[in-house]
Amino acid sequence: MRLARALSRPHPTSVNVLGIETSCDETGVAVYDTARPGAAGLRAHAVYSQIALHAEYGGVVPELASRDHVRKLLPLIRQTLADAGLGVRDLDGVAYTAGPGLVGALLVGAGVARALAWALDLPAIGVHHMEGHLLAPLMEDDPPEPPFVALLVSGGHSQLVAVDAIGRYRLLGDTLDDAAGEAFDKSAKLMGLPYPGGPQLAALAQTGTPGRFRFPRPMTDRPGLDFSFSGLKTQVLLAWRDSDQSDTTRADIARSFEDAVVDTLAIKCERALDAAGSKVLVVAGGVGANRRLRERLHAMVAKRGGRVCFPRPELCTDNGAMIAFAGALRLQAGQRSDASVHVAPRWDMATLDPVA
């Protein structure tokens, strides 16, 4: 295989890995070059969002998502390779999201990736979507070294993970119901904000008055690292129903809701750092782009004499760059998937093989 030959050289030349992400409603493609350090390794990336397609329905329609990936993926691969100044025969490996996610959407990306790998005689690797998010901050300059604690916070996940090494993960805490991002989206919908509601609510919160509404910080009054955000939606519903429903009140509720989520995440992160005996926190996932969360976690970790690491904002949401990078690390370690087109809509990250 070309990747193995390239890595066997005393001073490997450029090793370009194509990454494909199609787990839900974003089509992401990227090329990561392992011969370039840090952020420079990302030669090109592009994301096509299906927000406009699903807005009419107020949420992602799986069948429509799959069909749109079929339409957009090959043109996006061509565009990304052109942006990187590469052709398909300059590639040395292919990585794709194999799960978790929507099964139809996953199969589109996996099928294209396996076909490319077979046609070009390249190694390919199926990547765990959440491992991609977890490792995204390691693409930046001066990346953190394991061990550290990771907060994975998105529309589908709110997890605290002890990262002993790449591929060696211990789940410290998980959501018992709604993830933080899901609670953002649903709370926004309750107040009549357009889809997708989470970013709309966060933007509105910037103009809200803090403290006008007091929402609980769920599960912070007891030991443990699990999350529960479904009750906050009820608090939002009751506050909105019993208010004058003015624009000012909507902004004040948004601010109080966001403060409750941010405080809860920060409290749990501090507990996780104590439990793991770590001073390094890595934050990834779509909610990791939230400005107030970033500020709060920076302040909390700095006070402890530690360090918090985020990916750049455009790499917090689903993207091909994180898949290319995670795949490159595993391909370099000699791991690869077989030739079958296999995806896992549900996949426990603790079952992953370590990266030697």
Side-chain angles (χ1 to χ4, degrees):
M1 293 292 187
R2 294 174 60 196
L3 181 69
R5 291 198 300 270
L7 294 175
S8 68
R9 299 181 188 125
H11 301 285
T13 57
S14 175
V15 178
N16 296 301
V17 176
L18 178 73
I20 295 173
E21 155 62 21
T22 62
S23 65
C24 190
D25 61 337
E26 270 119 9
T27 311
V29 178
V31 177
Y32 189 83
D33 181 352
T34 62
R36 300 186 181 191
L42 184 57
R43 296 190 63 148
H45 76 103
V47 176
Y48 174 80
S49 175
Q50 300 177 4
I51 285 176
L53 174 66
H54 300 287
E56 177 183 353
Y57 307 96
V60 177
V61 181
E63 177 63 22
L64 295 181
S66 302
R67 293 179 183 183
D68 217 39
H69 287 310
V70 171
R71 284 191 290 266
K72 301 297 183 181
L73 184 52
L74 287 178
L76 205 63
I77 290 173
R78 296 188 190 101
Q79 174 192 326
T80 305
L81 287 173
D83 291 344
L86 300 172
V88 291
R89 299 203 175 277
D90 296 312
L91 296 174
D92 301 288
V94 181
Y96 58 95
T97 303
L102 303 175
V103 62
L106 291 168
L107 283 168
V108 175
V112 170
R114 291 299 335 176
L116 276 173
W118 180 83
L120 298 169
D121 190 25
L122 298 177
I125 185 79
V127 173
H128 193 290
H129 179 77
M130 295 311 296
E131 182 178 50
H133 276 302
L134 188 154
L135 298 178
L138 277 63
M139 275 189 286
E140 306 298 341
D141 296 328
D142 190 23
E145 292 284 341
F148 54 74
V149 170
L151 171 66
L152 304 178
V153 58
S154 65
H157 297 82
S158 292
Q159 296 179 332
L160 283 161
V161 179
V163 180
D164 298 318
I166 295 175
R168 290 177 54 200
Y169 308 122
R170 291 180 289 117
L171 184 64
L172 302 175
D174 202 353
T175 184
L176 303 180
D177 41 57
D178 289 351
E182 184 180 7
F184 263 92
D185 288 338
K186 291 181 177 178
S187 295
K189 188 174 183 179
L190 290 172
M191 294 193 293
L193 293 174
Y195 174 85
Q200 303 278 349
L201 188 150
L204 188 61
Q206 301 302 313
T207 65
T209 301
R212 180 181 168 190
F213 296 88
R214 178 65 186 177
F215 296 147
R217 277 55 177 163
M219 297 187 68
T220 59
D221 59 348
R222 67 197 77 174
L225 295 172
D226 289 332
F227 300 98
S228 172
F229 292 108
S230 63
L232 282 176
K233 294 183 308 182
T234 304
Q235 296 292 320
V236 168
L237 174 63
L238 295 174
W240 179 245
R241 186 195 65 185
D242 297 337
S243 75
D244 58 9
Q245 299 193 0
S246 65
D247 290 342
T248 298
T249 296
R250 184 186 280 110
D252 292 345
I253 293 175
R255 175 60 187 268
S256 296
F257 169 83
E258 184 181 65
D259 284 346
V261 173
V262 168
D263 284 351
T264 301
L265 292 172
I267 290 167
K268 296 285 186 172
C269 284
E270 188 162 22
R271 290 181 184 175
L273 289 170
D274 288 338
S278 177
K279 289 189 175 182
V280 180
L281 177 67
V282 164
V283 183
V287 182
N290 182 278
R291 183 179 65 84
R292 190 162 283 116
L293 178 63
R294 287 183 174 233
E295 291 173 352
R296 177 66 189 278
L297 292 180
H298 271 299
M300 181 270 289
V301 175
K303 187 176 180 180
R304 298 168 58 94
R307 179 187 180 197
V308 60
C309 304
F310 297 87
R312 67 198 83 167
E314 66 267 26
L315 298 187
C316 287
T317 53
D318 293 351
N319 61 85
M322 67 185 192
I323 303 304
F325 178 70
L329 294 180
R330 290 191 171 275
L331 288 170
Q332 281 185 304
Q335 299 178 17
R336 58 213 60 204
S337 301
D338 61 33
S340 63
V341 180
H342 174 75
V343 297
R346 297 182 181 275
W347 189 2
D348 184 355
M349 198 164 64
T351 65
L352 295 176
D353 293 329
V355 175

